[in-house]
mmCIF file of all heavy atoms in Angstrom:
data_model
loop_
_atom_site.group_PDB
_atom_site.id
_atom_site.type_symbol
_atom_site.label_atom_id
_atom_site.label_comp_id
_atom_site.label_asym_id
_atom_site.label_seq_id
_atom_site.Cartn_x
_atom_site.Cartn_y
_atom_site.Cartn_z
ATOM 1 N N GLY A 189 -10.955 9.810 4.417
ATOM 2 C CA GLY A 189 -10.304 11.074 4.979
ATOM 3 C C GLY A 189 -8.824 10.839 4.776
ATOM 4 O O GLY A 189 -8.347 10.336 3.769
ATOM 5 N N TYR A 190 -8.195 11.360 5.824
ATOM 6 C CA TYR A 190 -6.702 11.314 5.777
ATOM 7 C C TYR A 190 -6.081 9.998 5.850
ATOM 8 O O TYR A 190 -4.964 9.640 5.288
ATOM 9 C CB TYR A 190 -6.198 12.317 6.902
ATOM 10 C CG TYR A 190 -6.295 13.709 6.476
ATOM 11 C CD1 TYR A 190 -7.392 14.431 7.031
ATOM 12 C CD2 TYR A 190 -5.408 14.316 5.712
ATOM 13 C CE1 TYR A 190 -7.594 15.776 6.688
ATOM 14 C CE2 TYR A 190 -5.668 15.722 5.282
ATOM 15 C CZ TYR A 190 -6.744 16.322 5.927
ATOM 16 O OH TYR A 190 -6.979 17.751 5.542
ATOM 17 N N GLU A 191 -6.806 9.041 6.445
ATOM 18 C CA GLU A 191 -6.334 7.639 6.530
ATOM 19 C C GLU A 191 -6.380 6.982 5.099
ATOM 20 O O GLU A 191 -5.487 6.293 4.680
ATOM 21 C CB GLU A 191 -7.250 6.867 7.544
ATOM 22 C CG GLU A 191 -6.760 5.367 7.595
ATOM 23 C CD GLU A 191 -5.364 5.255 8.206
ATOM 24 O OE1 GLU A 191 -4.824 6.117 8.888
ATOM 25 O OE2 GLU A 191 -4.725 4.124 7.962
ATOM 26 N N ALA A 192 -7.319 7.410 4.302
ATOM 27 C CA ALA A 192 -7.456 6.821 3.006
ATOM 28 C C ALA A 192 -6.266 7.461 2.106
ATOM 29 O O ALA A 192 -5.679 6.735 1.236
ATOM 30 C CB ALA A 192 -8.785 7.200 2.346
ATOM 31 N N LEU A 193 -6.004 8.685 2.336
ATOM 32 C CA LEU A 193 -4.904 9.341 1.615
ATOM 33 C C LEU A 193 -3.583 8.784 1.920
ATOM 34 O O LEU A 193 -2.855 8.321 1.079
ATOM 35 C CB LEU A 193 -4.846 10.846 1.966
ATOM 36 C CG LEU A 193 -3.658 11.541 1.364
ATOM 37 C CD1 LEU A 193 -3.726 11.692 -0.128
ATOM 38 C CD2 LEU A 193 -3.615 13.041 1.942
ATOM 39 N N ARG A 194 -3.361 8.393 3.173
ATOM 40 C CA ARG A 194 -2.212 7.708 3.577
ATOM 41 C C ARG A 194 -2.102 6.248 2.976
ATOM 42 O O ARG A 194 -1.054 5.980 2.469
ATOM 43 C CB ARG A 194 -2.190 7.606 5.103
ATOM 44 C CG ARG A 194 -0.878 6.939 5.740
ATOM 45 C CD ARG A 194 -0.835 6.655 7.221
ATOM 46 N NE ARG A 194 -1.797 5.564 7.451
ATOM 47 C CZ ARG A 194 -1.425 4.269 7.394
ATOM 48 N NH1 ARG A 194 -0.241 4.031 6.974
ATOM 49 N NH2 ARG A 194 -2.310 3.346 7.589
ATOM 50 N N LYS A 195 -3.204 5.644 3.008
ATOM 51 C CA LYS A 195 -3.205 4.213 2.474
ATOM 52 C C LYS A 195 -3.010 4.232 0.943
ATOM 53 O O LYS A 195 -2.193 3.464 0.388
ATOM 54 C CB LYS A 195 -4.473 3.557 2.727
ATOM 55 C CG LYS A 195 -4.637 2.857 4.145
ATOM 56 C CD LYS A 195 -3.587 1.712 4.193
ATOM 57 C CE LYS A 195 -3.769 0.763 5.259
ATOM 58 N NZ LYS A 195 -4.887 -0.127 5.189
ATOM 59 N N ARG A 196 -3.602 5.193 0.262
ATOM 60 C CA ARG A 196 -3.411 5.201 -1.225
ATOM 61 C C ARG A 196 -2.037 5.544 -1.635
ATOM 62 O O ARG A 196 -1.441 4.907 -2.543
ATOM 63 C CB ARG A 196 -4.361 6.293 -1.782
ATOM 64 C CG ARG A 196 -5.892 5.808 -1.917
ATOM 65 C CD ARG A 196 -6.731 6.810 -2.532
ATOM 66 N NE ARG A 196 -8.094 6.275 -2.809
ATOM 67 C CZ ARG A 196 -9.216 6.644 -2.049
ATOM 68 N NH1 ARG A 196 -9.060 7.612 -1.114
ATOM 69 N NH2 ARG A 196 -10.363 6.143 -2.370
ATOM 70 N N ARG A 197 -1.423 6.524 -0.900
ATOM 71 C CA ARG A 197 -0.029 6.849 -1.153
ATOM 72 C C ARG A 197 0.857 5.570 -0.915
ATOM 73 O O ARG A 197 1.768 5.329 -1.639
ATOM 74 C CB ARG A 197 0.404 7.953 -0.299
ATOM 75 C CG ARG A 197 -0.083 9.328 -0.596
ATOM 76 C CD ARG A 197 0.288 10.346 0.269
ATOM 77 N NE ARG A 197 -0.055 11.712 -0.163
ATOM 78 C CZ ARG A 197 -0.078 12.748 0.647
ATOM 79 N NH1 ARG A 197 0.112 12.620 1.888
ATOM 80 N NH2 ARG A 197 -0.397 13.929 0.123
ATOM 81 N N GLY A 198 0.586 4.804 0.130
ATOM 82 C CA GLY A 198 1.324 3.661 0.515
ATOM 83 C C GLY A 198 1.102 2.577 -0.607
ATOM 84 O O GLY A 198 2.166 1.940 -1.091
ATOM 85 N N ILE A 199 0.020 2.431 -1.182
ATOM 86 C CA ILE A 199 -0.167 1.410 -2.260
ATOM 87 C C ILE A 199 0.437 1.747 -3.544
ATOM 88 O O ILE A 199 1.061 0.930 -4.186
ATOM 89 C CB ILE A 199 -1.759 1.102 -2.331
ATOM 90 C CG1 ILE A 199 -2.374 0.468 -0.992
ATOM 91 C CG2 ILE A 199 -2.068 0.166 -3.542
ATOM 92 C CD1 ILE A 199 -3.921 0.429 -1.093
ATOM 93 N N LYS A 200 0.294 3.047 -3.742
ATOM 94 C CA LYS A 200 0.906 3.525 -5.034
ATOM 95 C C LYS A 200 2.439 3.449 -5.085
ATOM 96 O O LYS A 200 3.018 3.548 -6.248
ATOM 97 C CB LYS A 200 0.417 4.914 -5.378
ATOM 98 C CG LYS A 200 -1.133 5.049 -5.689
ATOM 99 C CD LYS A 200 -1.336 4.421 -7.024
ATOM 100 C CE LYS A 200 -2.821 4.679 -7.508
ATOM 101 N NZ LYS A 200 -3.113 4.112 -8.761
ATOM 102 N N LYS A 201 3.193 3.230 -4.078
ATOM 103 C CA LYS A 201 4.545 3.088 -4.059
ATOM 104 C C LYS A 201 4.933 1.841 -4.674
ATOM 105 O O LYS A 201 6.115 1.561 -5.145
ATOM 106 C CB LYS A 201 5.105 3.231 -2.683
ATOM 107 C CG LYS A 201 4.968 4.695 -1.992
ATOM 108 C CD LYS A 201 5.613 4.701 -0.642
ATOM 109 C CE LYS A 201 5.447 6.079 -0.007
ATOM 110 N NZ LYS A 201 6.055 6.029 1.410
ATOM 111 N N PHE A 202 3.951 0.970 -4.724
ATOM 112 C CA PHE A 202 4.336 -0.479 -5.341
ATOM 113 C C PHE A 202 4.004 -0.484 -6.759
ATOM 114 O O PHE A 202 3.110 0.270 -7.213
ATOM 115 C CB PHE A 202 3.738 -1.527 -4.437
ATOM 116 C CG PHE A 202 4.166 -1.681 -3.023
ATOM 117 C CD1 PHE A 202 3.531 -0.917 -2.014
ATOM 118 C CD2 PHE A 202 5.171 -2.484 -2.694
ATOM 119 C CE1 PHE A 202 3.943 -0.939 -0.741
ATOM 120 C CE2 PHE A 202 5.654 -2.620 -1.527
ATOM 121 C CZ PHE A 202 5.110 -1.878 -0.354
ATOM 122 N N ASN A 203 4.579 -1.446 -7.446
ATOM 123 C CA ASN A 203 4.252 -1.529 -8.922
ATOM 124 C C ASN A 203 2.866 -2.224 -9.199
ATOM 125 O O ASN A 203 2.367 -2.002 -10.306
ATOM 126 C CB ASN A 203 5.393 -2.361 -9.620
ATOM 127 C CG ASN A 203 6.747 -1.624 -9.541
ATOM 128 O OD1 ASN A 203 6.813 -0.548 -9.727
ATOM 129 N ND2 ASN A 203 7.812 -2.449 -9.414
ATOM 130 N N SER A 204 2.383 -2.794 -8.153
ATOM 131 C CA SER A 204 1.158 -3.534 -8.336
ATOM 132 C C SER A 204 0.397 -3.721 -7.105
ATOM 133 O O SER A 204 1.081 -3.706 -6.000
ATOM 134 C CB SER A 204 1.300 -4.845 -9.145
ATOM 135 O OG SER A 204 1.968 -5.709 -8.341
ATOM 136 N N ILE A 205 -0.791 -4.063 -7.058
ATOM 137 C CA ILE A 205 -1.543 -4.335 -5.798
ATOM 138 C C ILE A 205 -0.884 -5.608 -5.200
ATOM 139 O O ILE A 205 -0.703 -5.702 -4.008
ATOM 140 C CB ILE A 205 -3.001 -4.472 -6.000
ATOM 141 C CG1 ILE A 205 -3.557 -2.936 -6.367
ATOM 142 C CG2 ILE A 205 -3.689 -5.101 -4.876
ATOM 143 C CD1 ILE A 205 -5.067 -3.119 -6.611
ATOM 144 N N GLU A 206 -0.566 -6.585 -6.053
ATOM 145 C CA GLU A 206 0.004 -7.841 -5.686
ATOM 146 C C GLU A 206 1.183 -7.619 -4.881
ATOM 147 O O GLU A 206 1.512 -8.275 -3.842
ATOM 148 C CB GLU A 206 0.282 -8.728 -6.837
ATOM 149 C CG GLU A 206 -0.956 -9.305 -7.583
ATOM 150 C CD GLU A 206 -1.750 -8.371 -8.379
ATOM 151 O OE1 GLU A 206 -1.100 -7.182 -8.680
ATOM 152 O OE2 GLU A 206 -2.903 -8.499 -8.696
ATOM 153 N N GLU A 207 2.124 -6.614 -5.363
ATOM 154 C CA GLU A 207 3.355 -6.482 -4.550
ATOM 155 C C GLU A 207 3.035 -5.742 -3.228
ATOM 156 O O GLU A 207 3.736 -6.048 -2.235
ATOM 157 C CB GLU A 207 4.321 -5.398 -5.310
ATOM 158 C CG GLU A 207 5.063 -6.053 -6.507
ATOM 159 C CD GLU A 207 6.004 -5.225 -7.103
ATOM 160 O OE1 GLU A 207 6.333 -4.112 -6.509
ATOM 161 O OE2 GLU A 207 6.522 -5.493 -8.277
ATOM 162 N N TYR A 208 2.098 -4.925 -3.122
ATOM 163 C CA TYR A 208 1.694 -4.356 -1.890
ATOM 164 C C TYR A 208 1.180 -5.304 -0.924
ATOM 165 O O TYR A 208 1.461 -5.353 0.296
ATOM 166 C CB TYR A 208 0.473 -3.334 -2.232
ATOM 167 C CG TYR A 208 -0.261 -2.909 -0.954
ATOM 168 C CD1 TYR A 208 0.251 -2.029 0.064
ATOM 169 C CD2 TYR A 208 -1.566 -3.215 -0.791
ATOM 170 C CE1 TYR A 208 -0.354 -1.718 1.182
ATOM 171 C CE2 TYR A 208 -2.290 -2.839 0.398
ATOM 172 C CZ TYR A 208 -1.734 -2.039 1.326
ATOM 173 O OH TYR A 208 -2.394 -1.658 2.482
ATOM 174 N N VAL A 209 0.340 -6.328 -1.431
ATOM 175 C CA VAL A 209 -0.243 -7.378 -0.511
ATOM 176 C C VAL A 209 1.041 -8.407 -0.067
ATOM 177 O O VAL A 209 0.974 -8.637 1.072
ATOM 178 C CB VAL A 209 -1.280 -8.221 -1.206
ATOM 179 C CG1 VAL A 209 -1.662 -9.348 -0.348
ATOM 180 C CG2 VAL A 209 -2.476 -7.368 -1.563
ATOM 181 N N GLU A 210 1.894 -8.627 -0.978
ATOM 182 C CA GLU A 210 3.017 -9.288 -0.541
ATOM 183 C C GLU A 210 3.897 -8.631 0.448
ATOM 184 O O GLU A 210 4.328 -9.309 1.397
ATOM 185 C CB GLU A 210 3.909 -9.701 -1.817
ATOM 186 C CG GLU A 210 3.320 -10.614 -2.721
ATOM 187 C CD GLU A 210 4.168 -10.719 -4.043
ATOM 188 O OE1 GLU A 210 5.301 -10.259 -4.073
ATOM 189 O OE2 GLU A 210 3.674 -11.478 -4.895
ATOM 190 N N ASP A 211 3.977 -7.386 0.432
ATOM 191 C CA ASP A 211 4.733 -6.588 1.456
ATOM 192 C C ASP A 211 4.138 -6.662 2.783
ATOM 193 O O ASP A 211 4.735 -6.801 3.820
ATOM 194 C CB ASP A 211 4.960 -5.123 0.936
ATOM 195 C CG ASP A 211 5.663 -4.344 1.923
ATOM 196 O OD1 ASP A 211 6.888 -4.446 1.998
ATOM 197 O OD2 ASP A 211 5.088 -3.466 2.664
ATOM 198 N N ARG A 212 2.739 -6.542 2.695
ATOM 199 C CA ARG A 212 1.950 -6.706 3.991
ATOM 200 C C ARG A 212 2.188 -8.025 4.612
ATOM 201 O O ARG A 212 2.289 -8.358 5.834
ATOM 202 C CB ARG A 212 0.539 -6.504 3.740
ATOM 203 C CG ARG A 212 0.038 -5.072 3.514
ATOM 204 C CD ARG A 212 -1.338 -4.810 3.783
ATOM 205 N NE ARG A 212 -1.657 -4.811 5.221
ATOM 206 C CZ ARG A 212 -2.864 -4.513 5.674
ATOM 207 N NH1 ARG A 212 -3.918 -4.163 4.807
ATOM 208 N NH2 ARG A 212 -3.095 -4.487 6.975
ATOM 209 N N ASP A 213 2.235 -9.074 3.849
ATOM 210 C CA ASP A 213 2.341 -10.455 4.198
ATOM 211 C C ASP A 213 3.740 -10.620 4.781
ATOM 212 O O ASP A 213 3.805 -11.399 5.912
ATOM 213 C CB ASP A 213 2.129 -11.425 2.935
ATOM 214 C CG ASP A 213 1.946 -12.812 3.384
ATOM 215 O OD1 ASP A 213 0.757 -13.231 3.694
ATOM 216 O OD2 ASP A 213 2.869 -13.756 3.529
ATOM 217 N N GLU A 214 4.729 -10.057 4.267
ATOM 218 C CA GLU A 214 6.074 -10.240 4.821
ATOM 219 C C GLU A 214 6.239 -9.533 6.187
ATOM 220 O O GLU A 214 6.892 -9.968 7.017
ATOM 221 C CB GLU A 214 7.126 -9.651 3.821
ATOM 222 C CG GLU A 214 7.250 -10.583 2.540
ATOM 223 C CD GLU A 214 8.215 -9.868 1.580
ATOM 224 O OE1 GLU A 214 8.652 -8.805 1.779
ATOM 225 O OE2 GLU A 214 8.268 -10.445 0.414
ATOM 226 N N LYS A 215 5.570 -8.404 6.318
ATOM 227 C CA LYS A 215 5.640 -7.598 7.470
ATOM 228 C C LYS A 215 4.788 -8.168 8.620
ATOM 229 O O LYS A 215 5.044 -7.873 9.820
ATOM 230 C CB LYS A 215 5.192 -6.103 7.284
ATOM 231 C CG LYS A 215 6.216 -5.319 6.408
ATOM 232 C CD LYS A 215 5.748 -3.854 6.107
ATOM 233 C CE LYS A 215 6.771 -3.180 5.277
ATOM 234 N NZ LYS A 215 6.273 -1.820 4.967
#
């Protein structure tokens, strides 16, 4: 639902999934 939409938008802001995971790791 809306949580998946929010998550997908957040992931797509990064150039790759690896960058997204790295960002989570840093936070």
Side-chain angles (χ1 to χ4, degrees):
Y190 287 96
E191 181 63 23
L193 175 63
R194 184 189 70 82
K195 274 298 197 71
R196 286 187 171 104
R197 284 173 173 166
I199 295 171
K200 289 292 187 178
K201 289 180 181 179
F202 295 89
N203 294 321
S204 65
I205 291 177
E206 288 75 18
E207 283 190 17
Y208 165 71
V209 176
E210 287 176 9
D211 182 72
R212 291 198 70 176
D213 196 85
E214 290 174 2
K215 290 178 178 177

